[in-house]
Amino acid sequence: MSGQLSRRAFFWVTAAEASLLAFGCARTDGVVPTTADGEPLEEVAALPPLPPAQPDLENPFLIDRNIAMDTVDDWLGRPDAVYRDMRMIHDPADYEAIGGDSELSITIEGFRITPFPFIGTLQALPVAGAYEGDCLFDVEWDGADVASVQPRYEESMQILEELFPKDKAIFIMCGGAGYAFMMRQLLSYLGWNESRLYNLGGAWDYVGRYPVELVRHEGGETRYMLWRGDIVDFGFEHLTPLRSF
């Protein structure tokens, strides 16, 4: 897996069993979540703790050293974490040109599809036809780093905080690790705790036990099975713009 990712890296700037066991544990800051009565949340406290996020500084996408595509199965279904797949169902960018997949053919059980292109302005991409539509935030990039962020809507920050709660570990993935990298950079810039932000890498390399097939190509036809996925609808037409853009 790491070899496949490293071959892709230079292109950027820088399911299914019937149910999953809850792997819950102590929070990454050492605080055990409690019930309303102050008692430890047993399904979390009784199980092994999450290691703090440890980005690989030699990887241009900062994929986590401890939890990535080859180990993610061991960390699924946790009540102290949220799981986000940052891809679009169909991405206008030509990812086939770099050996990827523009269709979100396979996701992983428990991941909510929360496309990064709908959240923030993209970095420059190495493929043609990248998304240039509406999003929650205007993001200025300085190479691999976020230089500035401006919300487009009154609801932008509320949406972000609900989709990426600050009191939980946040497991992020995409196809080749780029959108997940951008999401991690954006959350870090906006003040999220970096020790809880895990870039798991690219699901194009996932060979685990919990795949969920959403798109199938058969006989020259494409069949979408989107009812299987948990897909965020941002509803831009119902949001309140802060300014003209």
Side-chain angles (χ1 to χ4, degrees), residues 82-129:
V82 295
Y83 302 82
R84 301 292 180 253
D85 187 334
M86 307 311 303
R87 292 173 289 172
M88 306 173 74
I89 296 297
H90 175 77
D91 201 306
D94 182 14
Y95 283 112
E96 283 76 10
I98 59 171
D101 189 354
S102 295
E103 304 278 4
L104 204 169
S105 300
I106 299 291
T107 188
I108 299 174
E109 180 74 27
F111 277 79
R112 193 173 191 191
I113 299 165
T114 313
F116 181 81
F118 298 159
I119 293 175
T121 312
L122 300 177
Q123 287 180 291
L125 295 181
V127 294

Side-chain angles (χ1 to χ4, degrees), residues 86-234:
M86 307 311 303
R87 292 173 289 172
M88 306 173 74
I89 296 297
H90 175 77
D91 201 306
D94 182 14
Y95 283 112
E96 283 76 10
I98 59 171
D101 189 354
S102 295
E103 304 278 4
L104 204 169
S105 300
I106 299 291
T107 188
I108 299 174
E109 180 74 27
F111 277 79
R112 193 173 191 191
I113 299 165
T114 313
F116 181 81
F118 298 159
I119 293 175
T121 312
L122 300 177
Q123 287 180 291
L125 295 181
V127 294
Y131 176 80
E132 296 181 349
D134 207 351
C135 58
L136 297 177
F137 296 90
D138 289 314
V139 182
E140 292 288 338
W141 294 91
D142 180 10
D145 298 320
V146 176
S148 67
V149 178
Q150 292 292 329
R152 288 190 173 191
Y153 297 97
E154 290 184 8
E155 301 88 351
S156 291
M157 187 58 70
Q158 177 186 355
I159 293 170
L160 197 68
E161 290 177 344
E162 290 187 11
L163 292 175
F164 300 88
K166 291 182 176 180
D167 63 344
K168 290 182 179 289
I170 299 173
F171 289 177
I172 314 167
M173 71 171 185
C174 58
Y179 285 168
F181 169 79
M182 294 181 212
M183 190 71 243
R184 189 184 186 281
Q185 294 293 87
L186 177 59
L187 292 175
S188 176
Y189 179 87
L190 291 174
W192 268 249
N193 185 342
E194 290 187 350
S195 72
R196 297 182 185 176
L197 301 177
Y198 300 80
N199 182 352
L200 306 182
W204 294 337
D205 297 318
Y206 180 68
V207 293
R209 295 171 291 162
Y210 305 105
V212 179
E213 186 181 27
L214 299 178
V215 181
R216 181 181 301 167
H217 302 283
E218 292 180 329
E221 296 184 354
T222 301
R223 181 184 181 195
Y224 292 90
M225 297 165 285
L226 304 185
W227 63 84
R228 296 177 176 176
D230 181 3
I231 305 170
V232 173
D233 181 356
F234 287 88

Side-chain angles (χ1 to χ4, degrees), residues 62-78:
L62 302 181
I63 294 173
D64 198 76
R65 289 179 178 273
N66 297 314
I67 306 176
M69 282 297 110
D70 55 347
T71 58
V72 63
D73 282 6
D74 297 332
W75 303 97
L76 296 177
R78 300 178 65 103

